[in-house]
Amino acid sequence: MLLIKNGRVIDPAGKSERNADIVVKDGKIEKIYSEGILPAEAEAAADQVLDAKGLVVAPGLVDVHVHFRDPGLTYKEDLHTGAMAAAAGGYTTVICMANTKPVVDTPETLTDILTRAKEEKIHILQCASISRGMKGQELTDFHALRDSGAC
């Protein structure tokens, strides 16, 4: 069991912000104790204690507009380096834009990205282009792209 003590807890679901202690069991929040209420037995049962004094404890953030540039422009950033940077900033989910080389305008390109994204430690979602090659002349197959996992 993990105990995160003394953090400034942001709880959007409970619509609260307060200093609190959090008990995490099997990777899930089991209980949030308001400051000063943590039972001694809960602290004694902890395998690991993290002191979060002066830190904010919040759900993972979502960035709905990232440019990982993978495929084709990976000298700028790729799925792995982008995922690592996002995680370091507290992001657990990102949505990648379609302006890659090739452009994400076919189920094949989309599937390639999403398959490789599964290897990363955050959730990587992918947009698809509305038009082929992002040229605004010929529409992509929206239904096929949606069915292949485009968000």
Side-chain angles (χ1 to χ4, degrees):
M1 179 177 76
L2 168 66
L3 173 60
I4 304 171
K5 289 186 68 171
N6 307 313
R8 186 78 182 150
V9 176
I10 309 296
D11 179 7
K15 297 184 180 175
S16 69
E17 177 181 340
R18 65 191 189 280
N19 289 333
D21 302 316
I22 302 173
V23 174
V24 180
K25 189 172 183 180
D26 298 324
K28 297 191 185 232
I29 294 174
E30 183 174 86
K31 182 93 172 155
I32 299 175
Y33 294 96
S34 293
E35 187 173 40
I37 299 181
L38 179 70
E41 60 271 11
E43 188 163 3
D47 301 315
Q48 182 181 9
V49 178
L50 297 177
D51 186 3
K53 186 174 179 109
L55 301 174
V56 171
V57 182
L61 303 172
V62 177
D63 190 335
V64 298
H65 187 128
V66 301
H67 294 273
F68 283 4
R69 304 299 190 188
D70 190 345
L73 301 166
T74 55
Y75 64 91
K76 294 181 179 185
E77 187 158 57
D78 61 28
L79 290 176
H80 182 66
T81 59
M84 296 294 286
Y91 290 87
T92 58
T93 303
V94 297
I95 301 175
C96 298
M97 298 298 104
N99 57 339
T100 55
K101 287 187 180 182
V103 170
V104 183
D105 60 4
T106 66
E108 294 77 21
T109 301
L110 176 64
T111 299
D112 167 60
I113 293 167
L114 294 178
T115 298
R116 291 184 294 115
K118 289 177 185 173
E119 303 289 320
E120 301 304 328
K121 296 186 189 243
I122 66 166
H123 301 282
I124 299 174
L125 307 176
Q126 180 66 56
C127 287
S129 179
I130 293 172
S131 64
R132 297 226 182 257
M134 296 182 76
K135 294 180 180 176
Q137 297 171 355
E138 179 187 355
L139 294 177
T140 58
D141 184 343
F142 300 148
H143 298 291
L145 287 163
R146 179 202 58 211
D147 294 346
S148 296
C151 61

Coordinates of all heavy atoms in Angstrom, one line a residue, residues 23-111:
V23 N -4.5 7.2 0.5 CA -4.1 5.8 0.5 C -4.4 5.1 -0.8 O -5.5 5.2 -1.3 CB -4.9 5.0 1.6 CG1 -4.5 3.5 1.6 CG2 -4.6 5.6 3.0
V24 N -3.3 4.5 -1.4 CA -3.4 3.9 -2.7 C -3.1 2.4 -2.5 O -2.1 2.0 -2.0 CB -2.4 4.5 -3.7 CG1 -2.5 3.8 -5.1 CG2 -2.6 6.0 -3.9
K25 N -4.1 1.6 -3.0 CA -3.9 0.2 -2.9 C -4.2 -0.5 -4.2 O -5.1 -0.2 -4.9 CB -4.9 -0.4 -1.9 CG -4.7 -1.8 -1.5 CD -5.6 -2.2 -0.3 CE -5.3 -3.7 0.0 NZ -6.2 -4.1 1.1
D26 N -3.3 -1.3 -4.7 CA -3.3 -2.0 -6.0 C -3.5 -1.0 -7.1 O -4.3 -1.2 -8.0 CB -4.5 -3.0 -6.0 CG -4.3 -4.1 -5.0 OD1 -3.1 -4.5 -4.7 OD2 -5.3 -4.6 -4.4
G27 N -2.8 0.1 -7.0 CA -2.8 1.1 -8.1 C -4.0 2.0 -8.1 O -4.2 2.8 -9.0
K28 N -4.9 1.9 -7.1 CA -6.1 2.7 -7.1 C -6.3 3.4 -5.8 O -5.9 2.9 -4.8 CB -7.4 1.8 -7.4 CG -7.3 1.2 -8.8 CD -8.7 0.6 -9.1 CE -8.5 -0.2 -10.4 NZ -9.4 0.1 -11.4
I29 N -6.8 4.6 -5.9 CA -7.1 5.4 -4.6 C -8.1 4.7 -3.8 O -9.2 4.4 -4.3 CB -7.5 6.8 -4.9 CG1 -6.4 7.6 -5.6 CG2 -8.0 7.5 -3.7 CD1 -6.8 9.0 -6.1
E30 N -7.8 4.3 -2.6 CA -8.7 3.6 -1.7 C -9.4 4.6 -0.8 O -10.6 4.5 -0.6 CB -7.9 2.6 -0.9 CG -8.8 1.8 0.0 CD -8.1 0.7 0.8 OE1 -7.5 1.0 1.8 OE2 -8.0 -0.4 0.2
K31 N -8.7 5.6 -0.4 CA -9.3 6.6 0.6 C -8.5 7.9 0.6 O -7.3 7.8 0.5 CB -9.3 5.9 2.0 CG -10.0 6.8 3.1 CD -11.4 6.4 3.2 CE -11.9 7.1 4.5 NZ -13.3 7.4 4.4
I32 N -9.3 9.0 0.7 CA -8.6 10.3 0.9 C -9.0 10.8 2.3 O -10.2 10.9 2.6 CB -9.1 11.3 -0.2 CG1 -8.7 10.8 -1.6 CG2 -8.5 12.7 0.1 CD1 -9.2 11.6 -2.7
Y33 N -8.0 11.0 3.1 CA -8.3 11.5 4.5 C -7.9 13.0 4.5 O -6.8 13.4 4.2 CB -7.4 10.8 5.5 CG -7.7 9.3 5.6 CD1 -7.0 8.4 4.9 CD2 -8.7 8.9 6.5 CE1 -7.2 7.0 5.1 CE2 -9.0 7.5 6.7 CZ -8.2 6.6 5.9 OH -8.5 5.3 6.1
S34 N -8.9 13.8 5.0 CA -8.6 15.2 5.2 C -7.4 15.4 6.2 O -7.2 14.5 7.0 CB -9.8 16.0 5.7 OG -10.8 16.0 4.7
E35 N -6.8 16.5 6.1 CA -5.6 16.8 7.0 C -5.9 16.5 8.4 O -6.9 16.9 9.0 CB -5.2 18.2 6.8 CG -3.9 18.6 7.4 CD -3.4 20.0 7.1 OE1 -4.3 20.9 7.0 OE2 -2.3 20.2 6.9
G36 N -5.0 15.7 9.1 CA -5.2 15.5 10.5 C -6.1 14.3 10.9 O -6.3 14.0 12.1
I37 N -6.7 13.6 9.9 CA -7.6 12.6 10.2 C -7.1 11.2 9.9 O -7.7 10.2 10.3 CB -8.9 12.8 9.4 CG1 -9.5 14.1 9.9 CG2 -9.9 11.7 9.6 CD1 -10.8 14.5 9.2
L38 N -5.9 11.1 9.3 CA -5.3 9.8 8.9 C -5.2 8.9 10.2 O -4.5 9.2 11.1 CB -4.0 10.0 8.3 CG -3.2 8.7 7.9 CD1 -3.9 8.1 6.7 CD2 -1.8 9.0 7.5
P39 N -5.8 7.7 10.2 CA -5.7 6.8 11.3 C -4.2 6.2 11.4 O -3.6 6.0 10.4 CB -6.7 5.7 11.0 CG -7.5 6.1 9.9 CD -6.8 7.2 9.2
A40 N -3.8 6.0 12.6 CA -2.4 5.5 12.8 C -2.2 4.2 12.1 O -1.2 3.9 11.6 CB -2.1 5.4 14.3
E41 N -3.3 3.3 12.1 CA -3.1 2.0 11.5 C -3.0 2.1 10.0 O -2.3 1.2 9.4 CB -4.3 1.1 11.9 CG -5.7 1.6 11.5 CD -6.4 2.4 12.5 OE1 -5.7 2.9 13.5 OE2 -7.6 2.7 12.3
A42 N -3.6 3.1 9.4 CA -3.4 3.3 7.9 C -2.0 3.7 7.6 O -1.4 3.1 6.6 CB -4.3 4.4 7.4
E43 N -1.4 4.5 8.4 CA 0.0 4.9 8.2 C 1.0 3.7 8.5 O 1.9 3.4 7.7 CB 0.4 6.1 9.1 CG 1.8 6.6 8.7 CD 2.1 8.0 9.3 OE1 1.2 8.5 9.9 OE2 3.2 8.5 9.0
A44 N 0.7 2.9 9.5 CA 1.5 1.8 9.8 C 1.4 0.7 8.8 O 2.4 -0.1 8.6 CB 1.0 1.2 11.2
A45 N 0.3 0.6 8.1 CA 0.1 -0.4 7.0 C 0.8 -0.1 5.7 O 0.9 -0.9 4.8 CB -1.4 -0.7 6.8
A46 N 1.2 1.1 5.6 CA 1.8 1.6 4.3 C 3.2 0.9 4.0 O 4.0 0.9 4.9 CB 2.0 3.1 4.3
D47 N 3.3 0.4 2.8 CA 4.6 -0.1 2.4 C 5.6 1.0 2.0 O 6.8 0.9 2.1 CB 4.5 -1.1 1.2 CG 3.5 -2.2 1.5 OD1 3.7 -2.8 2.6 OD2 2.6 -2.5 0.7
Q48 N 5.0 2.0 1.5 CA 5.8 3.2 1.0 C 5.0 4.5 1.4 O 3.8 4.5 1.2 CB 5.9 3.1 -0.5 CG 6.8 4.2 -1.1 CD 6.9 4.1 -2.7 OE1 6.2 3.3 -3.3 NE2 7.7 4.9 -3.2
V49 N 5.8 5.5 1.8 CA 5.2 6.7 2.2 C 5.9 7.8 1.4 O 7.1 7.9 1.4 CB 5.3 7.0 3.7 CG1 4.7 8.4 4.0 CG2 4.6 5.9 4.5
L50 N 5.1 8.6 0.7 CA 5.6 9.8 0.0 C 5.2 11.0 0.6 O 4.0 11.2 0.9 CB 5.1 9.8 -1.5 CG 5.5 8.6 -2.4 CD1 4.9 8.7 -3.8 CD2 7.1 8.5 -2.5
D51 N 6.1 11.9 1.0 CA 5.7 13.2 1.5 C 5.5 14.2 0.4 O 6.4 14.6 -0.3 CB 6.8 13.7 2.5 CG 6.4 15.0 3.3 OD1 5.3 15.4 3.1 OD2 7.2 15.5 4.0
A52 N 4.3 14.7 0.2 CA 3.9 15.6 -0.8 C 3.8 17.0 -0.3 O 3.1 17.8 -1.0 CB 2.7 15.1 -1.5
K53 N 4.3 17.3 0.8 CA 4.2 18.7 1.4 C 4.7 19.7 0.4 O 5.8 19.5 -0.2 CB 5.0 18.8 2.7 CG 4.8 20.1 3.4 CD 5.5 20.1 4.7 CE 5.3 21.5 5.4 NZ 4.4 21.4 6.5
G54 N 3.9 20.7 0.1 CA 4.3 21.7 -0.8 C 4.0 21.3 -2.3 O 4.3 22.1 -3.2
L55 N 3.4 20.2 -2.5 CA 3.2 19.7 -3.9 C 1.7 19.5 -4.1 O 0.9 19.4 -3.1 CB 3.8 18.3 -4.1 CG 5.3 18.3 -3.9 CD1 5.8 16.9 -4.1 CD2 6.0 19.2 -4.9
V56 N 1.3 19.6 -5.3 CA -0.1 19.4 -5.7 C -0.3 17.9 -6.1 O 0.5 17.4 -6.9 CB -0.6 20.3 -6.8 CG1 -1.9 20.0 -7.4 CG2 -0.5 21.7 -6.4
V57 N -1.3 17.3 -5.6 CA -1.7 15.9 -6.0 C -3.0 16.0 -6.8 O -4.0 16.5 -6.2 CB -1.8 15.0 -4.8 CG1 -2.2 13.6 -5.3 CG2 -0.6 15.0 -3.9
A58 N -3.0 15.6 -8.1 CA -4.2 15.8 -8.9 C -4.3 14.6 -9.9 O -3.3 13.9 -10.1 CB -4.1 17.1 -9.7
P59 N -5.5 14.4 -10.5 CA -5.6 13.4 -11.5 C -4.7 13.8 -12.7 O -4.3 14.9 -12.8 CB -7.1 13.6 -12.0 CG -7.7 14.3 -10.9 CD -6.7 15.2 -10.2
G60 N -4.4 12.8 -13.5 CA -3.5 13.0 -14.7 C -4.2 14.0 -15.6 O -5.4 14.1 -15.8
L61 N -3.3 14.9 -16.2 CA -3.8 15.9 -17.1 C -4.0 15.3 -18.5 O -3.3 14.4 -18.9 CB -2.8 17.1 -17.1 CG -2.6 17.7 -15.7 CD1 -1.4 18.7 -15.8 CD2 -3.8 18.3 -15.2
V62 N -4.8 16.0 -19.3 CA -5.0 15.7 -20.7 C -4.6 16.8 -21.6 O -5.1 17.9 -21.4 CB -6.5 15.3 -21.0 CG1 -6.7 14.9 -22.4 CG2 -6.9 14.1 -20.1
D63 N -3.7 16.6 -22.5 CA -3.4 17.6 -23.5 C -4.0 17.3 -24.8 O -3.7 16.3 -25.4 CB -1.8 17.7 -23.7 CG -1.4 18.9 -24.5 OD1 -2.2 19.4 -25.3 OD2 -0.2 19.3 -24.3
V64 N -4.9 18.1 -25.3 CA -5.7 17.8 -26.5 C -5.1 18.3 -27.8 O -5.8 18.2 -28.8 CB -7.2 18.3 -26.3 CG1 -7.9 17.7 -25.1 CG2 -7.2 19.9 -26.2
H65 N -3.9 18.8 -27.7 CA -3.2 19.3 -28.9 C -1.7 19.2 -28.8 O -1.1 20.1 -28.4 CB -3.6 20.8 -29.1 CG -3.2 21.4 -30.4 ND1 -4.1 22.0 -31.2 CD2 -2.0 21.4 -31.0 CE1 -3.4 22.4 -32.3 NE2 -2.1 22.1 -32.2
V66 N -1.2 18.0 -29.2 CA 0.3 17.9 -29.2 C 0.7 17.5 -30.6 O 0.0 17.0 -31.5 CB 0.7 16.8 -28.2 CG1 0.3 17.1 -26.8 CG2 0.2 15.4 -28.6
H67 N 2.0 17.8 -30.9 CA 2.6 17.5 -32.2 C 3.8 16.6 -31.9 O 4.9 17.1 -31.7 CB 3.1 18.8 -32.8 CG 2.0 19.7 -33.2 ND1 1.3 19.6 -34.4 CD2 1.4 20.7 -32.6 CE1 0.4 20.5 -34.5 NE2 0.4 21.2 -33.4
F68 N 3.6 15.3 -31.9 CA 4.7 14.4 -31.7 C 5.5 14.1 -33.0 O 6.5 13.6 -33.0 CB 4.2 13.0 -31.1 CG 3.8 13.1 -29.7 CD1 3.9 14.3 -28.9 CD2 3.4 11.9 -29.0 CE1 3.6 14.3 -27.6 CE2 3.2 12.0 -27.7 CZ 3.3 13.1 -26.9
R69 N 4.9 14.5 -34.1 CA 5.6 14.4 -35.4 C 6.1 13.1 -35.9 O 7.0 12.9 -36.6 CB 6.8 15.4 -35.4 CG 6.5 16.8 -35.1 CD 5.6 17.4 -36.0 NE 5.5 18.9 -35.8 CZ 4.6 19.6 -36.4 NH1 3.8 19.1 -37.3 NH2 4.6 20.9 -36.1
D70 N 5.3 12.1 -35.4 CA 5.6 10.7 -35.7 C 4.4 10.1 -36.4 O 3.3 10.1 -35.8 CB 6.0 9.9 -34.4 CG 6.6 8.6 -34.6 OD1 6.5 8.0 -35.7 OD2 7.1 8.0 -33.6
P71 N 4.6 9.7 -37.7 CA 5.8 9.3 -38.4 C 6.3 10.5 -39.2 O 5.7 11.5 -39.4 CB 5.3 8.2 -39.4 CG 3.8 8.6 -39.6 CD 3.3 9.2 -38.3
G72 N 7.5 10.3 -39.7 CA 8.1 11.2 -40.7 C 9.0 12.3 -40.3 O 9.8 12.8 -41.0
L73 N 8.7 12.9 -39.1 CA 9.4 14.1 -38.7 C 10.0 13.8 -37.3 O 10.0 14.7 -36.4 CB 8.5 15.3 -38.7 CG 7.9 15.7 -40.0 CD1 6.7 16.6 -39.9 CD2 8.9 16.2 -41.0
T74 N 10.4 12.6 -37.1 CA 10.9 12.2 -35.7 C 12.1 12.8 -35.3 O 12.5 12.7 -34.1 CB 11.0 10.6 -35.7 OG1 11.9 10.2 -36.7 CG2 9.7 10.0 -35.9
Y75 N 12.8 13.5 -36.1 CA 14.0 14.3 -35.7 C 13.5 15.5 -34.8 O 14.3 16.0 -34.0 CB 14.8 14.8 -36.8 CG 14.1 15.8 -37.7 CD1 14.2 17.2 -37.5 CD2 13.4 15.3 -38.8 CE1 13.5 18.1 -38.3 CE2 12.7 16.2 -39.6 CZ 12.7 17.6 -39.4 OH 12.1 18.4 -40.2
K76 N 12.2 15.8 -34.9 CA 11.7 16.9 -34.0 C 11.2 16.2 -32.7 O 11.4 16.8 -31.6 CB 10.5 17.6 -34.7 CG 10.9 18.4 -35.9 CD 9.7 19.1 -36.5 CE 10.1 19.9 -37.7 NZ 8.9 20.7 -38.3
E77 N 10.4 15.2 -32.8 CA 9.9 14.4 -31.7 C 9.3 13.1 -32.2 O 8.7 13.1 -33.3 CB 8.9 15.2 -30.9 CG 8.5 14.6 -29.6 CD 8.0 15.6 -28.6 OE1 7.0 16.3 -28.9 OE2 8.5 15.7 -27.5
D78 N 9.3 12.1 -31.4 CA 8.6 10.9 -31.8 C 7.6 10.5 -30.6 O 7.5 11.2 -29.6 CB 9.6 9.8 -32.1 CG 10.5 9.4 -30.9 OD1 10.1 9.5 -29.8 OD2 11.6 8.9 -31.2
L79 N 7.0 9.4 -30.8 CA 6.0 8.9 -29.8 C 6.6 8.8 -28.5 O 6.1 9.2 -27.4 CB 5.3 7.6 -30.3 CG 4.4 7.7 -31.4 CD1 3.9 6.3 -31.8 CD2 3.2 8.6 -31.2
H80 N 7.8 8.2 -28.4 CA 8.4 7.9 -27.1 C 8.9 9.1 -26.4 O 8.6 9.4 -25.2 CB 9.6 6.9 -27.3 CG 10.2 6.5 -26.0 ND1 9.5 5.8 -25.0 CD2 11.4 6.8 -25.5 CE1 10.3 5.7 -24.0 NE2 11.5 6.3 -24.2
T81 N 9.6 10.0 -27.1 CA 10.1 11.2 -26.5 C 8.9 12.1 -26.1 O 9.0 12.8 -25.0 CB 11.1 12.0 -27.3 OG1 10.5 12.4 -28.6 CG2 12.4 11.1 -27.6
G82 N 7.9 12.2 -26.9 CA 6.8 13.0 -26.6 C 6.0 12.5 -25.4 O 5.6 13.2 -24.5
A83 N 5.9 11.1 -25.3 CA 5.2 10.5 -24.2 C 6.0 10.7 -22.9 O 5.4 11.0 -21.9 CB 5.0 9.0 -24.4
M84 N 7.3 10.6 -23.0 CA 8.1 10.9 -21.8 C 8.0 12.3 -21.3 O 7.9 12.6 -20.1 CB 9.6 10.5 -22.0 CG 9.8 9.0 -22.4 SD 9.4 7.9 -21.0 CE 10.8 8.3 -20.0
A85 N 8.0 13.2 -22.2 CA 7.9 14.7 -21.8 C 6.5 14.9 -21.3 O 6.4 15.7 -20.3 CB 8.1 15.5 -23.1
A86 N 5.5 14.4 -21.9 CA 4.1 14.6 -21.4 C 4.0 14.0 -19.9 O 3.5 14.7 -19.0 CB 3.1 13.9 -22.3
A87 N 4.5 12.8 -19.7 CA 4.4 12.2 -18.4 C 5.2 13.0 -17.4 O 4.7 13.2 -16.2 CB 5.0 10.8 -18.5
A88 N 6.3 13.5 -17.7 CA 7.1 14.4 -16.8 C 6.3 15.6 -16.4 O 6.5 16.1 -15.3 CB 8.4 14.8 -17.4
G89 N 5.4 16.1 -17.2 CA 4.6 17.3 -16.9 C 3.3 16.9 -16.3 O 2.5 17.8 -16.1
G90 N 3.0 15.7 -16.0 CA 1.8 15.3 -15.3 C 0.7 14.9 -16.2 O -0.5 14.7 -15.8
Y91 N 1.0 14.7 -17.5 CA 0.0 14.4 -18.5 C -0.1 12.9 -18.6 O 0.9 12.2 -18.8 CB 0.2 15.0 -19.9 CG 0.0 16.5 -19.8 CD1 1.1 17.3 -19.4 CD2 -1.2 17.0 -20.1 CE1 0.9 18.7 -19.4 CE2 -1.4 18.4 -20.1 CZ -0.4 19.2 -19.7 OH -0.6 20.6 -19.6
T92 N -1.3 12.3 -18.6 CA -1.5 10.9 -18.7 C -2.2 10.5 -20.0 O -2.2 9.4 -20.4 CB -2.4 10.3 -17.6 OG1 -3.6 11.0 -17.6 CG2 -1.7 10.5 -16.2
T93 N -2.7 11.6 -20.7 CA -3.3 11.4 -22.0 C -3.0 12.6 -22.9 O -3.0 13.7 -22.5 CB -4.9 11.3 -21.9 OG1 -5.2 10.2 -21.0 CG2 -5.6 11.0 -23.2
V94 N -2.7 12.3 -24.2 CA -2.5 13.3 -25.2 C -3.2 13.0 -26.4 O -3.5 11.8 -26.7 CB -1.0 13.5 -25.5 CG1 -0.2 14.0 -24.3 CG2 -0.3 12.3 -26.1
I95 N -3.5 14.0 -27.2 CA -4.2 13.8 -28.5 C -3.2 14.4 -29.5 O -3.0 15.6 -29.5 CB -5.6 14.4 -28.6 CG1 -6.5 13.8 -27.5 CG2 -6.1 14.2 -30.0 CD1 -7.8 14.4 -27.5
C96 N -2.7 13.6 -30.4 CA -1.7 14.0 -31.4 C -2.4 14.6 -32.7 O -3.5 14.0 -33.1 CB -0.8 12.8 -31.9 SG 0.2 12.1 -30.6
M97 N -1.9 15.6 -33.2 CA -2.4 16.2 -34.4 C -2.0 15.4 -35.6 O -1.0 14.6 -35.6 CB -1.9 17.7 -34.6 CG -2.4 18.6 -33.4 SD -4.2 18.7 -33.4 CE -4.6 17.7 -32.0
A98 N -2.6 15.6 -36.7 CA -2.5 14.7 -37.9 C -1.4 15.2 -38.9 O -1.1 14.6 -39.9 CB -3.8 14.6 -38.7
N99 N -0.7 16.3 -38.6 CA 0.2 16.9 -39.5 C 1.6 16.2 -39.4 O 2.6 16.8 -39.0 CB 0.3 18.4 -39.4 CG 0.7 18.8 -38.0 OD1 0.6 18.1 -37.0 ND2 1.3 20.0 -37.9
T100 N 1.7 15.0 -39.9 CA 2.9 14.2 -39.9 C 3.2 13.8 -41.4 O 2.5 14.3 -42.3 CB 2.6 12.9 -39.1 OG1 1.5 12.2 -39.6 CG2 2.4 13.2 -37.6
K101 N 4.2 13.1 -41.6 CA 4.6 12.6 -43.0 C 4.7 11.1 -43.0 O 5.7 10.6 -42.4 CB 5.9 13.3 -43.4 CG 5.8 14.7 -43.8 CD 7.0 15.3 -44.4 CE 6.8 16.8 -44.7 NZ 8.0 17.3 -45.4
P102 N 3.8 10.4 -43.5 CA 2.6 10.9 -44.2 C 1.6 11.4 -43.2 O 1.6 11.1 -42.1 CB 2.1 9.6 -44.9 CG 2.5 8.5 -44.0 CD 3.8 8.9 -43.5
V103 N 0.7 12.3 -43.8 CA -0.4 12.8 -43.0 C -1.3 11.6 -42.5 O -1.4 10.6 -43.2 CB -1.2 13.8 -43.9 CG1 -2.5 14.2 -43.2 CG2 -0.4 15.0 -44.3
V104 N -1.9 11.8 -41.4 CA -2.8 10.7 -40.8 C -4.1 10.9 -41.5 O -5.0 11.6 -41.1 CB -2.9 10.8 -39.3 CG1 -3.8 9.7 -38.8 CG2 -1.6 10.8 -38.6
D105 N -4.2 10.3 -42.7 CA -5.4 10.4 -43.5 C -5.9 9.1 -44.0 O -6.9 9.0 -44.8 CB -5.3 11.4 -44.7 CG -4.2 11.0 -45.6 OD1 -3.6 9.9 -45.5 OD2 -3.9 11.8 -46.5
T106 N -5.3 8.0 -43.6 CA -5.7 6.6 -43.9 C -5.7 5.7 -42.7 O -5.0 6.0 -41.7 CB -4.8 6.0 -45.0 OG1 -3.5 5.7 -44.3 CG2 -4.6 6.8 -46.2
P107 N -6.6 4.7 -42.7 CA -6.6 3.8 -41.6 C -5.2 3.1 -41.3 O -4.8 2.8 -40.2 CB -7.7 2.8 -42.0 CG -8.6 3.5 -42.9 CD -7.7 4.4 -43.6
E108 N -4.5 2.9 -42.4 CA -3.2 2.2 -42.3 C -2.2 3.1 -41.5 O -1.5 2.6 -40.6 CB -2.6 1.9 -43.7 CG -3.4 0.9 -44.5 CD -4.7 1.4 -45.1 OE1 -4.8 2.7 -45.3 OE2 -5.6 0.6 -45.4
T109 N -2.1 4.4 -41.8 CA -1.2 5.3 -41.1 C -1.7 5.4 -39.6 O -0.9 5.3 -38.7 CB -1.1 6.6 -41.7 OG1 -0.7 6.5 -43.1 CG2 -0.2 7.6 -41.0
L110 N -3.0 5.5 -39.4 CA -3.5 5.7 -38.1 C -3.2 4.4 -37.3 O -2.8 4.5 -36.1 CB -5.0 5.9 -38.2 CG -5.8 5.9 -36.9 CD1 -5.3 7.1 -36.0 CD2 -7.3 6.0 -37.2
T111 N -3.5 3.2 -37.8 CA -3.3 2.0 -37.1 C -1.8 1.8 -36.7 O -1.5 1.4 -35.6 CB -3.7 0.8 -38.0 OG1 -5.1 1.0 -38.2 CG2 -3.5 -0.5 -37.3

